[in-house]
Amino acid sequence: MDNTDNLFHPSLAAALMKLDPEDGEQIMEYFKTHALLTREKALLQASVREQKKLLVENAKLKKDIDQLKVQLQDKQRRRTAKALLSPPPPTLSPAPTTPVNQPSSPAGATASVPSSPPPPSSSSYDRRERQSRRRRGERKARPTSDSLSLEAEPRIDVSRLDLRVGRILSIRRHPLAETMSIQEVDVGENAPRMVVSKLGGKTHLEQLQGSLAVLLCNVKACKLRGVVSQARILCCSTPNDCIEPLAPPTGSAPGDRVTFLNYPGEPDRELQSKHRVWELLQPDLQVDCRGVANYKGCGFEVKGKGLCRAPSLTSCIIR
């Protein structure tokens, strides 16, 4: 017997057959099919809800794993630095050697001359002094060289920036600042990022909704007038405060990386404020006379799709 037969009481089937002997069986088949489809729909909805729940849990676990990796790397760096900066253990100076060839005293001289320890020779004293000076010199020189190697800055170029294409899903003015706005931007992740920018004063915000932009995604999240900003929209601006966001090439999609041909390399996981990477790179981020965004003459490129440009401005800075 089909499982759908359990959904209907036998008396219902008998009643239908009595009322309509010709079509009663077809009506029962219709009811059974409808009930089966309803059950399958409920199972499918439950499966979709479970899948969404698993996706959220996987994203949380991935974030926890990344945080644990960072903590482990920090502990390893501190342990290495402590081992390098600790002073070396002091070495024991050799005991003074007694002269082998001693003049033999004449017979009977022992009773008349009192015995006394021989004075330290000048050669052994000089040797100990040189060893002591050498040890002091090593203690001073080693920490200096180690500290220089630890404080050596990594490369400072545009490859350390995590630049991605994003789509502005919504935009509104900041309630506490007239010259600022709040955007929700899709950068190819599970959830959109909240971004606070200076696209407010002279910008027609309604024209930006749904458009593409270039975002700096590895900046540290910070609060701007009470709203947490999780990325930075790159804009070109002129001295008279004309501001417009950079436009990715046609065919770009949210999450596409913006790279530089002459500066390969992987970006930092998060830009540290103490290194001031963005501040050091910003003077070399410009829009040329053709409207192409570049770093030291090397264009902002989405591989296989083209270069990023300013919509209308030329010969201006990027910030």
Side-chain angles (χ1 to χ4, degrees):
M1 180 183 291
D2 192 354
N3 291 334
T4 56
D5 292 340
N6 298 327
L7 300 175
F8 302 97
H9 199 274
S11 61
L12 177 61
L16 285 174
M17 292 299 295
K18 182 181 289 187
L19 291 174
D20 194 348
E22 295 181 357
D23 299 330
E25 186 175 353
Q26 293 181 357
I27 294 173
M28 283 300 299
E29 289 297 328
Y30 171 78
F31 283 160
K32 291 177 182 179
T33 304
H34 182 71
L36 184 60
L37 290 175
T38 303
R39 176 182 293 178
E40 291 180 352
K41 182 179 178 181
L43 292 175
L44 180 60
Q45 290 176 345
S47 176
V48 170
R49 287 194 297 269
E50 186 67 22
Q51 185 178 9
K52 288 182 179 180
K53 182 179 178 182
L54 289 175
L55 288 175
V56 172
E57 292 178 352
N58 287 342
K60 184 178 179 182
L61 288 174
K62 184 178 179 182
K63 184 177 179 181
D64 293 341
I65 290 172
D66 291 340
Q67 291 177 351
L68 290 174
K69 285 182 179 178
V70 173
Q71 293 176 1
L72 180 60
Q73 291 173 355
D74 290 341
K75 288 183 179 179
Q76 289 177 345
R77 283 197 294 268
R78 286 197 297 267
R79 191 180 296 115
T80 304
K82 184 178 180 180
L84 291 174
L85 294 176
S86 59
T91 57
L92 298 176
S93 59
T97 58
T98 56
V100 178
N101 298 324
Q102 298 243 352
S104 58
S105 59
T110 305
S112 59
V113 179
S115 62
S116 61
S121 63
S122 60
S123 60
S124 62
Y125 177 79
D126 293 340
R127 185 166 57 253
R128 288 197 300 272
E129 186 66 22
R130 284 196 302 270
Q131 291 174 351
S132 177
R133 285 198 301 268
R134 190 180 302 115
R135 286 198 301 273
R136 287 197 300 269
E138 287 175 356
R139 290 194 193 101
K140 294 178 182 178
R142 183 171 297 176
T144 303
S145 61
D146 290 341
S147 61
L148 289 175
S149 63
L150 288 174
E151 294 173 1
E153 289 289 339
R155 71 188 190 286
I156 301 293
D157 62 50
V158 75
S159 66
R160 296 182 63 179
L161 304 182
D162 183 8
L163 299 178
R164 296 186 227 164
V165 175
R167 185 179 298 278
I168 300 176
L169 303 178
S170 67
I171 183 168
R172 65 183 187 274
R173 293 194 181 276
H174 197 297
L176 302 179
E178 294 182 358
T179 60
M180 302 177 76
S181 61
I182 303 171
Q183 300 87 31
E184 281 187 321
V185 187
D186 176 16
V187 290
E189 298 174 334
N190 294 332
R193 293 198 185 197
M194 193 72 68
V195 181
V196 179
S197 68
K198 292 187 177 180
L199 294 172
K202 302 180 181 180
T203 307
H204 299 288
L205 300 182
E206 63 277 1
Q207 298 177 1
L208 298 179
Q209 186 161 339
S211 63
L212 295 177
V214 178
L215 281 88
L216 177 60
C217 294
N218 58 344
V219 291
K220 187 175 182 180
C222 62
K223 270 191 177 182
L224 296 175
R225 297 292 184 92
V227 180
V228 177
S229 182
Q230 299 171 307
R232 183 188 187 102
I233 295 181
L234 296 193
C235 301
C236 47
S237 67
T238 60
N240 58 352
D241 290 335
C242 184
I243 303 174
E244 58 185 20
L246 290 181
T250 304
S252 300
D256 286 349
R257 282 282 311 279
V258 178
T259 57
F260 300 81
L261 181 62
N262 297 341
Y263 300 93
E266 290 299 319
D268 292 7
R269 183 177 178 275
E270 183 179 275
L271 295 177
Q272 300 297 323
S273 56
K274 63 180 181 180
H275 294 161
R276 300 178 60 83
V277 176
W278 170 251
E279 289 78 2
L280 293 172
L281 296 177
Q282 189 178 0
D284 294 314
L285 301 174
Q286 299 179 356
V287 174
D288 62 17
C289 60
R290 299 175 299 155
V292 177
N294 67 88
Y295 169 76
K296 293 184 177 181
C298 185
F300 287 54
E301 180 183 6
V302 178
K303 286 187 178 180
K305 299 177 181 178
L307 299 174
C308 301
R309 299 174 177 271
S312 62
L313 302 178
T314 57
S315 303
C316 56
I317 63 172
I318 297 174
R319 66 182 186 182

